[in-house]
Structures are given as C-alpha cells and as structure tokens.
C-alpha cells in the first residue's frame, strides 16, 4: 500500500503574518480616524472660542466708548463709524497733539443723521511709571463728555487714581471745554490750575491734564474734518 502524501503544513509564522498585517492596518485606520475626529473637534472648539473672545472684546470696546460718550448722544454704530489715526501717516492737522505712538481707532458719533461728537485716543509718555493711554469723548460743541484711562502702569494707591475704579478724579473733566476753562487753568492746582492732584503723586495727574488739554486743541483745529467724514464714492 502506498501511503498518500500528507499536505504540507505551512510555517506558522508565515500564516500569522497576513493576520498581523491586517490587524496593523485596522489599528492604523482607527488611529487615523480618531486623529481626524479630534482635529475636527479641536477646530470647532477653537472657532467657537475665537468667536466668543471676539464678541467679548467687541462688548468691552463698546462699554469703554459708551463710558466717554453716553448712548443717548448717538444712535449710530460707533464701531462701524471708526477711522484710524496713524502717526506715520497723519491725515489731520497737528495730529501729534494726541501723542499716539501707534495707530489707534477713533470714532464718530451721530444722532438722527447729525454729527454729535467724536471719541479720540490719546497717549502721554509723561506718566510717573510710563505711558498712559486715554480715551476722550468730545461733543460737537467742543465740550468733554468723558475721559477714561485705558492703560497705565502708575503706582497703586497713588498714580492709579486716574482709574475710575480707584477714584472719581477723572470725572472732573466732564463738561470742560476751551470755552469754559481758560488755557492757563489747564494745570493741576499745584501749578496754578484748576485740577486737583493726588497726595504724594503730582506727576500723573499733571500728565493727564496736559494730554486732555492737547486733545481739545486737536479737536478745535480739526472740528469740521472730525465731525464730517469724507463722502465715500459708490462702488463702480
């Protein structure tokens, strides 16, 4: 009797190889899909976060603008009616009076189509601890509707009283103008003016008073251009 040949048994390692490669491919696909899903989720989260941050910044900007020019004085969108003041390319006379070190937005206000005022940024490098950034609202008649300190590094308990959260001192500018306050009085009382200084801190209020006075001069010299923006040509 002739024994039938037994089928050759393959190498166990060779038999496992296709199964192992298939498993690796499956895991790779799963990992790729997981990474793609995670990336999409992260993109959605970042988009939502960026939108919320942008909205919060917009609301904070509007709050600051409404603090220096009350909402009752305008019905236009201040953010939409903004324009840039660029030190390197000034478009207004004596723009250096604002002391700007970089481009900053200004805003025109109107009510029922009539110009009611403007909000201007200004800086003074003469603070005790460096540059002070301010925002000033001026109505069409040239009177101050509000002044706020946006950024400063003044000494806590002393120079930081220019911040409304620390002291009401900044409100002393309200309703002041070049018409009702003589130029020689735009100084702190220590220098013969009408504005109070802080105990132990004269440099800071002196710098702010001078900056606000210069801003009024800038407004007076550019009143028409500031209140009446150039007519935009229609798109062809």
């Amino acid at each position: 009797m002739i024994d039938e040949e037994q089928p050759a048994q393959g190498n166990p390692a060779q038999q496992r190889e296709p199964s192992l490669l298939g498993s690796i491919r499956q895991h790779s696909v799963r990992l790729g899909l997981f990474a793609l899903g995670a990336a999409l989720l992260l993109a959605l989260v970042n988009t939502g976060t960026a939108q919320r941050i942008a909205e919060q910044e917009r609301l904070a900007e509007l709050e600051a603008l409404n603090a220096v020019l009350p909402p009752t004085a305008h019905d236009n969108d201040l953010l939409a009616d903004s324009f840039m003041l660029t030190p390197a390319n000034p478009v207004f006379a004596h723009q250096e009076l604002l002391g700007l070190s970089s481009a900053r937005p200004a805003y025109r206000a109107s009510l029922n189509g009539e110009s009611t005022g403007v909000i201007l940024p200004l800086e003074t490098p003469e603070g005790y601890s460096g540059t002070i950034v301010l925002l000033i609202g001026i109505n069409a008649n040239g009177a101050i509707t509000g002044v706020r300190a946006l950024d400063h590094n003044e000494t806590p308990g002393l120079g930081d009283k220019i911040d409304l959260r620390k002291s009401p001192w900044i409100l002393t500018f309200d309703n002041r103008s070049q018409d009702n306050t003589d130029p020689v009085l735009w100084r702190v009382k220590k220098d013969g003016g009408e504005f109070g200084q802080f105990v132990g801190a004269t440099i800071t209020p002196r710098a702010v008073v001078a900056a606000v006075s210069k801003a009024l001069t800038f407004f007076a010299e550019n009143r028409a251009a500031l209140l009446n923006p150039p007519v935009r040509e229609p798109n062809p």
Side-chain angles (χ1 to χ4, degrees):
M1 180 181 294
I2 300 175
D3 293 336
E4 294 181 355
E5 291 184 2
Q6 298 296 325
Q9 298 294 327
N11 189 325
Q14 293 177 340
Q15 291 179 342
R16 290 195 299 271
E17 185 175 349
S19 177
L20 180 60
L21 290 175
S23 177
I24 291 175
R25 290 193 186 98
Q26 290 178 357
H27 284 299
S28 297
V29 171
R30 292 194 187 99
L31 286 173
L33 291 174
F34 176 80
L36 179 59
L40 290 174
L41 179 60
L42 183 61
L44 289 173
V45 170
N46 286 341
T47 299
T49 301
Q51 291 174 343
R52 287 195 297 272
I53 291 175
E55 178 62 14
Q56 290 172 353
E57 290 177 345
R58 188 185 75 85
L59 292 175
E61 186 176 6
L62 279 174
E63 182 179 0
L65 298 179
N66 288 329
V68 298
L69 202 156
T72 54
H74 66 88
D75 58 9
N76 64 315
D77 184 347
L78 293 176
L79 298 182
D81 287 338
S82 64
F83 56 97
M84 295 302 297
L85 294 173
T86 307
N89 186 28
V91 296
F92 296 101
H94 303 293
Q95 191 171 299
E96 70 279 359
L97 289 170
L98 298 178
L100 300 180
S101 60
S102 60
R104 292 185 180 274
Y107 311 83
R108 291 185 177 94
S110 62
L111 184 65
N112 298 323
E114 296 291 330
S115 296
T116 56
V118 66
I119 298 174
L120 301 172
L122 55 149
E123 298 179 24
T124 172
E126 299 176 355
Y128 181 78
S129 299
T131 297
I132 299 171
V133 181
L134 301 159
L135 200 64
I136 182 172
I138 305 173
N139 68 22
N141 295 322
I144 295 173
T145 57
V147 179
R148 293 293 185 274
L150 294 183
D151 188 35
H152 68 85
N153 294 301
E154 299 306 282
T155 307
L158 294 173
D160 68 343
K161 291 179 182 178
I162 59 174
D163 191 326
L164 183 59
R165 294 170 296 183
K166 305 293 183 178
S167 165
W169 179 84
I170 201 78
L171 300 178
T172 59
F173 293 108
D174 291 2
N175 301 313
R176 294 273 188 171
S177 70
Q178 290 187 327
D179 293 333
N180 61 28
T181 304
D182 192 280
V184 299
L185 299 178
W186 280 94
R187 303 171 184 171
V188 295
K189 292 180 179 179
K190 184 177 181 179
D191 299 334
E194 286 193 350
F195 297 87
Q197 61 267 345
F198 311 143
V199 177
T202 302
I203 293 176
T204 303
R206 180 184 287 145
V208 172
V209 170
V212 170
S213 177
K214 290 178 182 178
L216 285 179
T217 299
F218 170 79
F219 175 83
E221 295 183 359
N222 295 277
R223 184 192 301 261
L226 288 169
L227 295 177
N228 301 292
V231 177
R232 296 178 181 177
E233 295 294 334
N235 294 327

